[in-house]
Amino acid sequence: MAAGSARYVRYILIAFFVLAVFYFVSDSSDAVTRLTPATGNNGADSKSATGAGDHKGHEAAQAKTSKPKTSDNVDPKQFPLAMSPNDPGFNDLAGIAEGPRMNATFVTLARNGDVWEIAKSIRQVEDRFNRRYNYDWVFLNDKPFDETFKKVTTSLVSGKTHYGLIPEEHWSFPPHIDQEKAKKVREDMAAKKIIYGDSISYRHMCRFESGFFFRQKLMLNYDYYWRVEPSIKLFCDIHYDPFRFMHENNKKYSFVLSLYEYIETIPTLWDSVKKFAKNHPEHIADGNSMGFLSDDGGDTYNKCHFWSNFEIGSLRWLRSKAYLDYFESLDQDGGFFYERWGDAPVHSIAAGLMLPKEQIHFFNDIAYFHVPFTHCPTGEKYKLDRKCHCEPKENFDWKSYSCTSRYYEINNLEKPEGWEAESH
Ligand SMILES: *[C@@H]1O[C@H](CO)[C@@H](O)[C@H](O)[C@H]1NC(C)=O
């Protein structure tokens, strides 16, 4: 009797176990099928590339190589950009984004010691955007990158990573610079406590970003770049490909923050620009953004510039004769060393004078922080739709030290509702 009931108990336990296993298996296969539509997202492209059936959606999504990489093989019209919540696909942020890819890369100038700060930036860029697009990332340094830097960054970037060593002649004093004069300037600026005023490497950096990053061997492989610096933050989901936006709308330069430059660092920059404009009238665009840069039709510079630690731009434009003539002219005047010209005003003035104003874009939907300023788009619904986590009062756009209002004015754009409340 005791043996018999023990057997029943055993049967019941076994039956229960079998049922439990069955339930578990069917439930998890359910989870797999639920994943499929999101990740596999069944575009004609992924099917034809992999022949993947429904149940292979997951693998198809992970096989980056099965996705179209450039615009050559897909019709962009079949994959409209999801710019706002009513556009198809706006809420589809799972898996690899379908559609064309641009000939584009992220680019970062960094030192080995920046590895953990750039790691934070990469993580934000990947989480908010690139995990779905897998664009490449180029890292540039005036010293060779070490193994830790390469390992950590490669593990975080979903696209391919490339590491470039900057040639000496792009990171040194050009021969025409009078070393004594340059030294004297650094001493004077140090005495006046001008930020980075006494730094040589900061000057090499500004000159490099102004005239050489886009000509590095690795960068010659691309048409568009997105500059990322260590320790930045992105606060909103990016629902479409900004590179594609640039390309399809013929934009050449873009920004998220703008402000006034510290005049002590650029006292003669505008004189140098005027000299260039006089020598090269053919490079000055009709319908440019002079109104952003000057309040008196070009006589004086109002110091407004786009903050260049964030940029998405056209490398072809930077490599154009117009831009190279401009850089060469400024470089000959020596202000990178005899003053402390920043790449932000140098790029901004170039974009402002040599591009029609429609070719400069304000990426309102890319919410961004670089110490000490934040671009946090105005409007509660706008931010909720994009899952933003920035604090509205931190938004710099409409504060008196920002030039973004001026950009809106010269482009006849209407400021978003609620801007006044964020203006002080
Ligand atoms: C990408 O751009 C570079 C520079 O313009 C060009 O040499 C290269 O052929 C392009 N690649 C593709 C796939 O279009």
Side-chain angles (χ1 to χ4, degrees):
M1 194 57 191
S5 70
R7 196 159 63 221
Y8 283 127
V9 168
R10 207 152 59 224
Y11 286 155
I12 287 165
L13 281 176
I14 289 168
F16 188 74
F17 179 74
V18 168
L19 276 173
V21 167
F22 184 73
Y23 179 78
F24 178 75
V25 167
S26 68
D27 192 51
S28 61
S29 73
D30 214 40
V32 172
T33 42
R34 260 186 275 122
L35 265 177
T36 305
T39 52
N41 226 339
N42 60 51
D45 55 308
S46 81
K47 270 198 209 112
S48 61
T50 62
D54 266 352
H55 59 286
K56 284 215 179 138
H58 198 112
E59 286 149 71
Q62 289 183 341
K64 294 173 200 168
T65 47
S66 72
K67 286 289 169 180
K69 277 287 177 195
T70 70
S71 54
D72 301 344
N73 46 357
V74 251
D75 177 8
K77 287 195 195 66
Q78 291 190 332
F79 305 94
L81 294 168
M83 304 292 297
S84 63
N86 296 328
D87 293 342
F90 187 83
N91 289 311
D92 180 12
L93 292 186
I96 303 298
E98 294 194 314
R101 294 292 185 273
M102 298 297 105
N103 192 358
T105 185
F106 290 93
V107 60
T108 292
L109 177 66
R111 295 239 157 87
N112 288 310
D114 295 326
V115 60
W116 301 112
E117 296 308 312
I118 194 60
K120 292 178 200 168
S121 300
I122 296 171
R123 189 69 224 194
Q124 307 247 341
V125 170
E126 288 290 336
D127 288 351
R128 291 299 199 167
F129 168 69
N130 201 42
R131 66 186 171 81
R132 299 178 58 229
Y133 292 88
N134 311 148
Y135 279 108
D136 294 355
W137 206 304
V138 170
F139 296 91
L140 302 170
N141 189 348
D142 64 315
K143 308 261 159 43
F145 282 111
D146 63 27
E147 279 312 304
T148 303
F149 190 99
K150 290 188 201 171
K151 263 191 285 189
V152 171
T153 52
T154 293
S155 82
L156 291 169
V157 173
S158 60
K160 292 199 188 81
T161 48
H162 303 279
Y163 301 87
L165 178 62
I166 298 166
E168 169 95 41
E169 62 271 27
H170 296 169
W171 196 277
S172 51
F173 293 94
H176 66 271
I177 293 298
D178 175 343
Q179 293 288 337
E180 280 308 308
K181 184 173 166 189
K183 183 155 170 268
K184 174 100 182 28
V185 168
R186 293 194 300 275
E187 287 163 3
D188 290 352
M189 284 199 177
K192 287 197 221 155
K193 302 233 172 357
I194 294 169
I195 184 167
Y196 304 119
D198 60 345
S199 170
I200 295 179
S201 67
Y202 192 84
R203 286 183 169 77
H204 290 327
M205 188 272 280
C206 290
R207 180 168 174 265
F208 175 80
E209 293 287 14
S210 298
F212 299 104
F213 87 91
F214 49 85
R215 296 192 256 182
Q216 299 303 291
K217 196 156 167 277
L218 289 169
M219 298 302 288
L220 297 178
N221 295 326
Y222 303 96
D223 287 337
Y224 293 93
Y225 72 103
W226 179 334
R227 176 165 162 190
V228 177
E229 293 212 346
S231 315
I232 60 121
K233 292 178 192 162
L234 291 183
F235 298 110
C236 305
D237 280 340
I238 299 172
H239 293 248
Y240 63 93
D241 180 350
F243 290 126
R244 242 188 96 189
F245 177 85
M246 297 288 289
H247 184 70
E248 291 177 8
N249 294 283
N250 196 25
K251 306 283 184 189
K252 304 286 192 236
Y253 192 76
S254 68
F255 72 101
V256 289
L257 284 161
S258 68
L259 68 163
Y260 293 95
E261 181 60 302
Y262 190 17
I263 193 65
E264 300 284 335
T265 66
I266 51 155
T268 68
L269 174 59
W270 194 250
D271 294 335
S272 199
V273 167
K274 286 201 285 191
K275 185 171 105 189
F276 162 77
K278 194 157 163 259
N279 291 340
H280 288 283
E282 75 278 15
H283 293 329
I284 306 302
D286 288 334
N288 64 18
S289 306
M290 181 62 97
F292 179 78
L293 302 170
S294 174
D295 301 342
D296 49 23
D299 198 23
T300 60
Y301 180 37
N302 64 20
K303 295 165 286 184
C304 277
H305 64 287
F306 307 119
W307 217 25
S308 62
N309 48 67
F310 169 98
E311 290 177 322
I312 300 176
S314 163
L315 291 163
R316 287 184 177 219
W317 171 58
L318 291 174
R319 292 191 287 251
S320 70
K321 182 164 188 332
Y323 188 87
L324 293 176
D325 284 348
Y326 165 82
F327 173 73
E328 185 56 28
S329 173
L330 264 51
D331 196 35
Q332 284 303 321
D333 290 342
F336 291 106
F337 299 101
Y338 301 146
E339 295 178 2
R340 206 221 63 196
W341 294 352
D343 51 282
V346 170
H347 285 184
S348 303
I349 292 171
L353 296 184
M354 298 195 285
L355 296 174
K357 66 181 187 201
E358 296 74 23
Q359 294 187 342
I360 303 178
H361 183 64
F362 172 50
F363 272 112
N364 188 38
D365 38 17
I366 302 185
Y368 175 85
F369 168 83
H370 180 297
V371 68
F373 299 119
T374 297
H375 163 60
C376 183
T378 304
E380 184 179 58
K381 182 171 187 305
Y382 193 94
K383 287 189 283 276
L384 294 175
D385 284 340
R386 291 163 180 77
K387 297 187 171 37
C388 305
H389 72 284
C390 50
E391 206 178 326
K393 75 171 166 55
E394 298 294 321
N395 184 26
F396 185 67
D397 296 358
W398 319 118
K399 306 253 190 290
S400 63
Y401 213 67
S402 165
C403 292
T404 299
S405 282
R406 198 183 285 269
Y407 173 86
Y408 268 64
E409 281 150 25
I410 69 154
N411 288 288
N412 304 312
L413 298 171
E414 200 176 325
K415 290 187 201 169
E417 209 174 305
W419 72 270
E420 294 96 335
E422 294 176 356
S423 65
H424 23 244

